[in-house]
Each structure stands twice: as structure tokens, then as C-alpha cells.
């Protein structure tokens, strides 16, 4: 780091990485590009049929390079500022600086922009000229593009994708407007500084593209386009703030992950723009093979559940409860979705609405394979039909259907948003998934249990196996949630849902006290990635601490060290659960081999292969911090937390934790836990919360009043103190 020295959210380099795939991305929920690249992508715009469906490459006017002709070896710097959501390239020559700044507008999601600023540093009066080197050609291999008339000084092209995803299906239309880009820009001899601004607007309709471009022009005229982006992005970062005191590399990795993941979610003030899901490779990077064709995977919404914590080294497990709730039920979390849900539930809802929109495609998938209900595709694009290029994954890796439903369960437990299920299609999806699992099971007379046969578990080194422990456990979760939700909504519960959930087989070795990955698994067989370890976290499958430890110790040494990045985060969380802090830290450190310099871009595999800007790995890494260090576990009746973190971390602060309409700020140190309700929703009204220690003591949490818990004891301050808000506001609580 250079001018960003000391700031963990600013990544600065004097040279670019040799591999262009490792350049950073600038993106919002709809548009994105990798810096200096000549193509951009738009969410939901796919071309190609079935297994060839891929995110369409659009020509990008943004991928230019700034040059200073005639300057001898000018000093250069390249900076990704995660606080402002902006990338910049600066050239410093004798007498002047030239800066190229690029961003995807966070709130105006159909708009991207860049600026070139030349600033004179001395008293000279000669003109200063810089060159703009652009590879832009208004053509695409994925769309038939036609020029249209200029609009407000912008060039205009439009066209449709070439091949629909399914026969007779839609072919998305793209409309693009951009400010013409000259080859040269000159600062006049009488000028000290000048800034040139360039806009690119992309939308699915001519009207929206022109509207976005016009709004951009108006903001430029007012001198506030970039400021409006920075304000919107800064508001999101403040509302989803995670800070820790620890090693600089860890802090930088945290800020990089937050930048790339939050760049991919909808802004708070743009509810009318449909969200098209998050690809493991992100919206703005890769080519067909590198970013999984832009498809949406299980990695986006794969979740799971966990029972009560295994004890705490900081004074016992603690819950946040709504006083009206009395039952405990398990819920789920994993990869990208749970991070978003915890910090930004409105965006989490948008992710679920994508699945609702593609439910009919999932029904067709199930029907074509001879089953009832809905089977969500292993890889999903615009329609919900299976678009994975390799048939085996779509046919056998069926746990994705349960993973999708767990996202709905976790959202429901966190928000109690019944409208999603009663009015917006959520119940139809839940019911269809339950029907699928019932039709997919077969009865074993020998074992008197239901089996699921012929699957590929999360461990993709094995296929056509019977009774994958993870697949069967996630199917059970689906059926249990469908049953519970039906009762909440006062709907009839099919008897077979409860019967199959109760009688489905989840393999367990009574002698060795561990979970075999599937029927016939032999201890020591190599495993590609996290599989059985997901039973403990995030799936929270009931088990003792002994079994949890045995699962970790059985699979850690046989998991492929070159496997995908998110794997090691799951082992880290497991060891944190067991308070094995050194073992957790060693697993977390493995993640760092997937983080590339200088812009903290993640690669899928540590050897650099696979998807680049691998959001799935970032999601797993964030899970270590948000669910491992804090011990957060979302259940139907509570938010459990059970902190534990390695010795090189002294404090963790998470702002705006969302739970039952409340926003909480949580600060954890080795001595205490500080909690404060900072905001409560009014429509619908937030549920009042109380903190409950493992000893059973209960204390209300009031908005604006900080509560401190002593991490070494199972007690708070006397109950009488809590009952008087005036006292607590005058005399902040101290550890008891």
C-alpha cells in the first residue's frame, strides 16, 4: 500500500498484476466490469441455449487506459478505494498529474461513469495533453447490435441476444448510450485544472437507458454525480460495517470481501429493479469458464442449520429473544446469503424473490426427471431451468433444492416476514420443494428408513452414491420447515412431510462416532471440499461435541488442499465452536492463499485456477467473522451468540445486525460484549428483544441504551437497574 498506507479499506499499487484476471471489478446490482477490460456485463442478460447459456458480453466504453505521451517513465499508482466504491489510475509527470477515476453508480444502477482530471502542479502555461487508449468497438459476439440516433450528445446502440435460453423463450434486449470518447484531452495553458466526465447507460428498454443517461447528465451539471454515488455507497458501508482489531492482512481481506460482496447486491432505494442473483464469479469478471458463465449456483444461497452452541469460553451462550416466542427451532446459514441477511435483509429478500420468479422452471426440471414439485437447477440463469454444461451435476447434485429452501427458512426466522410467503409466492415455493423431496425418497424395507439414492454430494469427487449425509439432512430440514411454516400460516400439513422427515436416513457410524459421507464411504477416502463438516456448521444437525470433533478430524486431513476457497472457512468455524482457537486460526490462514494482490481479488483455487473474483470464497471467509468469531446462530426463537476468536484479534465490532425488525450494534472484546439496539422498525413494528444468559437470567434491551455483558461471568447488572431507563442512560452499564 502507498497513499493508502494504514487504511485497511484502500488498496494501492504502483504496478498492475501480471495476470489481467486479477484486476479489480467495479459493479453494482445491474452493471459491472473489470477495470481496463473492453466488455461489461448486465444482470439477467444471457445468450445461448441450455448448457451453452452464458452471461452476454457487452462492448464497454469504459475499458480505456490513460497515457502521458512524451513523459519519461512517469510515476503511476492504481487504487481501489472500498470506502467510496471507486477505482483510480494516476499518472504523475513533471508539472502535472492526470487521474482516471471509474465507478459503477451504486444507486443509479443503469449507469457507470469515469472521469479524467488533469491538474497543473507548477506555474507553467503550456498546454498539457494526455492520451485515452481505448479498444472499444460497438459490437458483440452475443448480441445483434444496431446503431440508433444520438441522444443528448451520446451515441446509442441497441439489440437483442442471439439465442434464447429455452426454445421459444425470451431474448433480452439491451440499450446502451455512452459519451463519445476522444483520443486526446488537453488542459489549456490558462487552466490550472479540468475534469472531463463520461457516462455509459445500459438498460433493458430505450426509455430507461435514456432516463438514466439524462439523470446522469443533470447530476454532472450540478457537480454531484460522483458525490451521489459516494454518498449512497458510504451509507451502505456504514449500515453493513464490520471492523476488527487484528493483523493488517486480515483487516484488508475483510474490507475487500465486504466491497466485492456488497457491490453485487441491490441498493436500498431501488426496489423496482428486479434482482437476478449472484454468480460465484461475480457480475463483472471472467469469461465463460472463469465465472461459471454467470450462472447462479448453490453457493449463492446455500444455507444450513445448527443446534445450540457447544458452550462458551466467554461466559455461556447468550440469546436474543422476542418475549412472545417460546419455542426453539433450528435454522441455517452459509456462503453469501447469510452475510447479506444478517446485515441487509432487504437485499436478502431480493435474492429470494429471484428464486420465486424462477419457480416454474424448477417445476419443469422436476417433471423432466420424473419427480413432483420443484427441483432447483444446479446452475440457474434467467428461467430457472437447468443450464449446467455438464449433465451429471444437474442430475445428481440435488442438495441445491434444500439449500435454496434453507435460505427462505433463515430469512423467515430472522424477519418473521409472512408477506413473502402469503402474498409474494414464498409458500408455493416451500410447498413445491417439500413435494419434490417426498417424491425423491424411496422406502427401504430392510432399514425401515427412507433413502435418497443416486446423488452427488457437495463433495464432487463422488457421484451416484446413496444417502449422502448432507443431502439427506438438508432434505429433512426442508420438510421440517415446510411443516412448521404451514402451521404458522394455518394451512393443512400433509402427513407424509412429517413421516419422511422423521424416517429419512442420515448415515452415522456408531462405532467410530462420526458421519460417513454416504453409504459405503471408507475413512481416508479423499474429499474435494467441505461436505460432512457442513452438518455441524452451517446445517446444525444435532450431534454431540465428540461427534462434531470426530467429523472435523476425520475429514480435515483428507480434504483436497487445492480445493475451493470456502472449504477452509467451514473447518475454521467448526474449531471455533469447539474453542480450539489455534486449529481455527490455521484453517482460516489457508484462505489467504486464495487472495491475490494488490486488490484482494479471490481465486477459486489456491493455484489460481477456477472462477476469479470468487464471491463464494469471500462469503465463506465472512462467515468465519460474522458467525465464527461472534458465534451467531439464527434459530426460530432466538439469535444465539457465543464469541471466540484467535489470540491475534482483540476486538470485533458489527454494526446494524438485523433481527426481528431491530438493528443492533455488537462489540466484542476479550473482557466484555457490548450490545445496543440502534434502530427499530415501525412498519411492521419491531419485536422487543431481551438478552438471556445461559443461567436463565433475562434482561430487556432498550433502543439507545448500551448493555455490557461480562465475558467471564454468567450475569449482568442487577435486574432493578435495567428496569429504569433513566438510570441506565445516566450511568452506563459496567461489567458485573
Amino acid at each position: 500500500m502507498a497513499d493508502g498506507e494504514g487504511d485497511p479499506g484502500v488498496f494501492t499499487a504502483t504496478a498492475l498484476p501480471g495476470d489481467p484476471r486479477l484486476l479489480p471489478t467495479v459493479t453494482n446490482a445491474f452493471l459491472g466490469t473489470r477495470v481496463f477490460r473492453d466488455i461489461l456485463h448486465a444482470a439477467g442478460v444471457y445468450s445461448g441455449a441450455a448448457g451453452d447459456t452464458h452471461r452476454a458480453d457487452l462492448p464497454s466504453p469504459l475499458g480505456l487506459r490513460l497515457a502521458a505521451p512524451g513523459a519519461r517513465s512517469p510515476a503511476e499508482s492504481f487504487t481501489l478505494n472500498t470506502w467510496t466504491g471507486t477505482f483510480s489510475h494516476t499518472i504523475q509527470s513533471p508539472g502535472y498529474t492526470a487521474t482516471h477515476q471509474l465507478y459503477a453508480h451504486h444507486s443509479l444502477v443503469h449507469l457507470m461513469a469515469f472521469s479524467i482530471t488533469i491538474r497543473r502542479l507548477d506555474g507553467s502555461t503550456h498546454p498539457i495533453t494526455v492520451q485515452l487508449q481505448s479498444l472499444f468497438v460497438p459490437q458483440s459476439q452475443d448480441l445483434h447490435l444496431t446503431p440508433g440516433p444520438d441522444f443528448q450528445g451520446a451515441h446509442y446502440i441497441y439489440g437483442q441476444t442471439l439465442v434464447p435460453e429455452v426454445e421459444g423463450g425470451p431474448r433480452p434486449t439491451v440499450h446502451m448510450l455512452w459519451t463519445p470518447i476522444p483520443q486526446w484531452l488537453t488542459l489549456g495553458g490558462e487552466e490550472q485544472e479540468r475534469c472531463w466526465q463520461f457516462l455509459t447507460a445500459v438498460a433493458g428498454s430505450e426509455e430507461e437507458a435514456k432516463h438514466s443517461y439524462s439523470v446522469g447528465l443533470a447530476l454532472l451539471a450540478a457537480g454531484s454525480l460522483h458525490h451521489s454515488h459516494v454518498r449512497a455507497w458510504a451509507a451502505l458501508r456504514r449500515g453493513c460495517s464490520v471492523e476488527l482489531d487484528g493483523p493488517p492482512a486480515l483487516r484488508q481481506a475483510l474490507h475487500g470481501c465486504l466491497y466485492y460482496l456488497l457491490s453485487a447486491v441491490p441498493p436500498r432505494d431501488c426496489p423496482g429493479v428486479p434482482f437476478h442473483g449472484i454468480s460465484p464469479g461475480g457480475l463483472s469478471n471472467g469469461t465463460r469458464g472463469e465465472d461459471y458463465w454467470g450462472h447462479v449456483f448453490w453457493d449463492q444461497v446455500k444455507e444450513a442449520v445448527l443446534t445450540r452452541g457447544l458452550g462458551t469460553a466467554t461466559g455461556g451462550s447468550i440469546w436474543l429473544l422476542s418475549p412472545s416466542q417460546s419455542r426453539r427451532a433450528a435454522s441455517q446459514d452459509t456462503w453469501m446469503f447469510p452475510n447479506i441477511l444478517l446485515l441487509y435483509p432487504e437485499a436478502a429478500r431480493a435474492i429470494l424473490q429471484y428464486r420465486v420468479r424462477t419457480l416454474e422452471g424448477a417445476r419443469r426440471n422436476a417433471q423432466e426427471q420424473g419427480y413432483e414439485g420443484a427441483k432447483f437447477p444446479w446452475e440457474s440463469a434467467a428461467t430457472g431451468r437447468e443450464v449446467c454444461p455438464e449433465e451429471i451435476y444437474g442430475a445428481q447434485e440435488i442438495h441445491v433444492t434444500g439449500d435454496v429452501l434453507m435460505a427462505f427458512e433463515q430469512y423467515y426466522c430472522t424477519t418473521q416476514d409472512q408477506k413473502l410467503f402469503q402474498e409474494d409466492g414464498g409458500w408455493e415455493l416451500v410447498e413445491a420443494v417439500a413435494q419434490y423431496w417426498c417424491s425423491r425418497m424411496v422406502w427401504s424395507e430392510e432399514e425401515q428408513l427412507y433413502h435418497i439414492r443416486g446423488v452427488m454430494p457437495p463433495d464432487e469427487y463422488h457421484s451416484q452414491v446413496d444417502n449422502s449425509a448432507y443431502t439427506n439432512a438438508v432434505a429433512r430440514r426442508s420438510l421440517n420447515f415446510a411443516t412448521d411454516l404451514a402451521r404458522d400460516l394455518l394451512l393443512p400439513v400433509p402427513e407424509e412431510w412429517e413421516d419422511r422427515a422423521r424416517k429419512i436416513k442420515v448415515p452415522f457410524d456408531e462405532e467410530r462416532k462420526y458421519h460417513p459421507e454416504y453409504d459405503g464411504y471408507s475413512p481416508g477416502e479423499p474429499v474435494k471440499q467441505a461436505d460432512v463438516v457442513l452438518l455441524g456448521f452451517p446445517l446444525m444437525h444435532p450431534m454431540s461435541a465428540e461427534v462434531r470433533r470426530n467429523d472435523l478430524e476425520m475429514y480435515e486431513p483428507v480434504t483436497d488442499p487445492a480445493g475451493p476457497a470456502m472449504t477452509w472457512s467451514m473447518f475454521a468455524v467448526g474449531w471455533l465452536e469447539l474453542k480450539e482457537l489455534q486449529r481455527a486460526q490455521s484453517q482460516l490462514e489457508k484462505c489467504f492463499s486464495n487472495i491475490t494482490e494488490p486488490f484482494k481479488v479471490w481465486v477459486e483455487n489456491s493455484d489460481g485456477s477456477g472462477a476469479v473474483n470468487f464471491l463464494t470464497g469471500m462469503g465463506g471467509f465472512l462467515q468465519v467473522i460474522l458467525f465464527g468469531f461472534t458465534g451467531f446462530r439464527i434459530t426460530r426463537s432466538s439469535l444465539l451468540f457465543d464469541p471466540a476468536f484467535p489470540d491475534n484479534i482483540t476486538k470485533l465490532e458489527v454494526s446494524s445486525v438485523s433481527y426481528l425488525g431491530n438493528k443492533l450494534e455488537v462489540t466484542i472484546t476479550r473482557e466484555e460484549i457490548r450490545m445496543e439496539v440502534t434502530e427499530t422498525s415501525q412498519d411492521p413494528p419491531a419485536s422487543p428483544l431481551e438478552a438471556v444468559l445461559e443461567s436463565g437470567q433475562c434482561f430487556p434491551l432498550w433502543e439507545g441504551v448500551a448493555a455490557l455483558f461480562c465475558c467471564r461471568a454468567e450475569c449482568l447488572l442487577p435486574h432493578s437497574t435495567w428496569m429504569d431507563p433513566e438510570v441506565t442512560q445516566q450511568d452506563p452499564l459496567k461489567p458485573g
Side-chain angles (χ1 to χ4, degrees):
M1 299 172 67
D3 62 348
E5 187 70 39
D7 188 332
V10 179
F11 311 141
T12 298
T14 56
L16 295 174
D19 184 347
R21 299 182 311 150
L22 306 182
L23 292 170
T25 57
V26 288
T27 184
N28 57 36
F30 185 75
L31 292 176
T33 188
R34 190 170 69 208
V35 302
F36 303 130
R37 199 175 186 200
D38 61 351
I39 63 171
L40 60 83
H41 293 125
V45 180
Y46 294 93
S47 184
D52 189 46
T53 296
H54 56 279
R55 185 172 282 147
D57 290 347
L58 311 181
S60 175
L62 304 154
L64 57 85
R65 288 293 299 268
L66 177 65
R72 294 184 178 180
S73 301
E76 294 186 89
S77 64
F78 306 88
T79 299
L80 177 65
N81 189 325
T82 70
W83 302 113
T84 64
T86 305
F87 177 80
S88 59
H89 170 210
T90 298
I91 296 176
Q92 184 160 341
S93 291
Y96 73 92
T97 61
T99 300
H100 171 206
Q101 195 170 63
L102 173 67
Y103 56 97
H105 202 288
H106 180 65
S107 57
L108 302 173
V109 295
H110 296 288
L111 199 65
M112 299 187 73
F114 72 87
S115 64
I116 306 293
T117 302
I118 304 176
R119 182 164 62 93
R120 196 182 299 274
L121 300 178
D122 56 21
S124 64
T125 58
H126 60 81
I128 299 172
T129 298
V130 298
Q131 184 180 12
L132 307 185
Q133 302 171 338
S134 173
L135 300 175
F136 174 63
V137 177
Q139 299 173 1
S140 169
Q141 61 180 351
D142 295 318
L143 299 96
H144 176 71
L145 294 172
T146 301
D150 286 0
F151 173 77
Q152 295 184 339
H155 293 334
Y156 172 43
I157 54 175
Y158 63 95
Q160 283 184 296
T161 55
L162 298 178
V163 181
E165 181 179 321
V166 296
E167 186 175 354
R171 292 164 51 206
T173 301
V174 171
H175 296 260
M176 177 185 291
L177 295 141
W178 72 95
T179 310
I181 302 170
Q183 284 188 291
W184 309 89
L185 293 175
T186 299
L187 181 71
E190 73 287 354
E191 297 178 299
Q192 288 298 117
E193 181 175 332
R194 185 175 176 186
C195 179
W196 292 262
Q197 307 263 12
F198 301 85
L199 304 179
T200 297
V202 181
S205 70
E206 179 179 357
E207 179 184 15
E208 181 57 56
K210 290 183 175 179
H211 172 73
S212 296
Y213 194 85
S214 296
V215 171
L217 283 181
L219 289 171
L220 281 181
S224 60
L225 179 65
H226 186 243
H227 292 306
S228 66
H229 159 71
V230 170
R231 283 196 303 269
W233 177 251
L236 177 65
R237 285 298 310 266
R238 284 194 303 272
C240 301
S241 176
V242 185
E243 296 282 354
L244 57 79
D245 289 349
L250 182 63
R251 298 176 67 203
Q252 292 170 8
L254 169 61
H255 284 285
C257 289
L258 287 170
Y259 166 77
Y260 290 117
L261 185 57
L262 293 176
S263 294
V265 300
R268 297 181 188 275
D269 53 356
C270 201
V273 178
F275 186 63
H276 297 275
I278 303 174
S279 162
L283 173 62
S284 52
N285 208 25
T287 56
R288 294 190 189 185
E290 294 170 2
D291 66 352
Y292 289 104
W293 294 264
H295 299 162
V296 177
F297 269 57
W298 76 301
D299 309 282
Q300 176 210 354
V301 293
K302 177 174 183 266
E303 9 267 298
V305 294
L306 204 34
T307 55
R308 179 176 173 172
L310 300 171
T312 171
T314 58
S317 303
I318 303 173
W319 289 263
L320 294 179
L321 298 101
S322 166
S324 64
Q325 296 174 308
S326 60
R327 293 196 301 131
R328 295 184 67 236
S331 64
Q332 63 286 327
D333 54 80
T334 239
W335 314 142
M336 293 181 259
F337 179 86
N339 299 303
I340 296 167
L341 175 61
L342 191 68
L343 301 173
Y344 187 5
E346 300 90 342
R349 195 184 204 273
I351 291 174
L352 301 184
Q353 287 174 312
Y354 164 77
R355 292 297 191 182
V356 172
R357 288 200 309 274
T358 59
L359 175 59
E360 288 310 308
R363 291 186 191 275
R364 289 287 301 276
N365 296 334
Q367 183 181 33
E368 288 182 356
Q369 292 188 1
Y371 302 109
E372 299 175 12
K375 175 192 174 296
F376 282 92
W378 180 241
E379 297 187 32
S380 181
T383 68
R385 301 299 303 280
E386 182 62 66
V387 294
C388 182
E390 295 85 16
E391 182 180 354
I392 188 173
Y393 300 104
Q396 294 189 31
E397 206 155 355
I398 64 173
H399 64 83
V400 63
T401 298
D403 301 326
V404 168
L405 196 59
M406 285 195 203
F408 282 82
E409 182 179 1
Q410 189 171 4
Y411 175 80
Y412 180 64
C413 293
T414 304
T415 67
Q416 289 296 300
D417 176 10
Q418 290 196 358
K419 181 177 182 294
L420 175 66
F421 299 92
Q422 291 176 320
E423 302 177 26
D424 298 338
W427 169 250
E428 288 77 8
L429 184 147
V430 171
E431 182 181 42
V433 169
Q435 291 169 345
Y436 171 75
W437 285 123
C438 288
S439 71
R440 188 63 176 78
M441 297 178 189
V442 295
W443 179 250
S444 167
E445 286 290 343
E446 179 183 357
E447 296 193 64
Q448 291 292 293
L449 293 171
Y450 285 100
H451 288 195
I452 298 179
R453 297 172 179 162
V455 304
M456 178 183 286
D459 166 24
E460 293 171 340
Y461 284 171
H462 297 92
S463 61
Q464 202 64 34
V465 304
D466 297 339
N467 295 316
S468 152
Y470 180 84
T471 303
N472 289 20
V474 84
R476 174 181 287 170
R477 284 304 322 163
S478 296
L479 293 169
N480 284 335
F481 174 54
T483 298
D484 290 343
L485 182 63
R487 292 196 173 110
D488 282 359
L489 301 181
L490 304 179
L491 297 171
V493 179
E495 184 177 337
E496 66 174 351
W497 292 3
E498 295 179 283
D499 181 61
R500 282 164 169 73
R502 187 169 56 250
K503 296 178 181 177
I504 188 172
K505 177 181 182 180
V506 177
F508 183 71
D509 187 321
E510 290 285 356
E511 181 180 348
R512 294 184 176 91
K513 300 296 183 186
Y514 90 107
H515 292 93
E517 187 180 290
Y518 52 84
D519 282 354
Y521 176 83
S522 298
E525 285 189 44
V527 171
K528 177 184 177 184
Q529 60 195 56
D531 188 307
V532 171
V533 296
L534 301 175
L535 291 180
F537 180 87
L539 196 56
M540 296 177 65
H541 185 71
M543 68 182 77
S544 67
E546 177 191 12
V547 172
R548 178 68 161 133
R549 177 182 297 275
N550 290 344
D551 283 350
L552 290 165
E553 291 188 334
M554 178 68 73
Y555 292 102
E556 183 179 309
V558 300
T559 301
D560 190 341
M566 69 280 191
T567 285
W568 312 118
S569 61
M570 295 299 100
F571 282 101
V573 173
W575 290 120
L576 287 167
E577 256 178 40
L578 296 171
K579 303 300 179 279
E580 293 273 4
L581 304 185
Q582 288 299 113
R583 298 185 77 163
Q585 183 169 344
S586 69
Q587 295 301 312
L588 178 60
E589 288 173 352
K590 291 182 181 180
C591 295
F592 282 78
S593 61
N594 297 76
I595 306 173
T596 65
E597 298 298 337
F599 302 114
K600 318 305 173 187
V601 171
W602 282 59
V603 293
E604 181 175 6
N605 304 310
S606 58
D607 63 1
S609 63
V612 180
N613 212 31
F614 190 52
L615 293 185
T616 304
M618 299 184 206
F621 177 84
L622 287 174
Q623 289 292 319
V624 176
I625 296 170
L626 289 175
F627 293 90
F629 291 173
T630 66
F632 281 139
R633 301 291 185 268
I634 301 167
T635 75
R636 189 170 183 188
S637 61
S638 65
L639 177 63
L640 171 70
F641 60 101
D642 184 10
F645 38 69
D647 293 338
N648 60 357
I649 296 168
T650 57
K651 184 171 76 170
L652 173 64
E653 183 176 355
V654 186
S655 299
S656 295
V657 173
S658 296
Y659 187 60
L660 300 180
N662 299 274
K663 296 285 189 181
L664 299 106
E665 184 176 283
V666 179
T667 303
I668 303 170
T669 67
R670 298 195 178 281
E671 291 74 34
E672 64 187 22
I673 302 171
R674 180 187 185 276
M675 300 184 61
E676 181 179 345
V677 175
T678 58
E679 181 183 339
T680 58
S681 68
Q682 302 302 317
D683 185 22
S687 298
L689 300 178
E690 59 185 4
V692 182
L693 290 185
E694 198 168 36
S695 64
Q697 292 178 288
C698 303
F699 303 94
L701 293 176
W702 291 307
E703 183 177 359
V705 179
L708 299 183
F709 308 106
C710 179
C711 292
R712 295 175 183 168
E714 294 183 8
C715 63
L716 299 177
L717 282 186
H719 194 205
S720 58
T721 305
W722 272 89
M723 297 308 293
D724 187 348
E726 293 184 1
V727 172
T728 57
Q729 289 171 350
Q730 294 169 5
D731 184 15
L733 297 177
K734 304 295 184 184

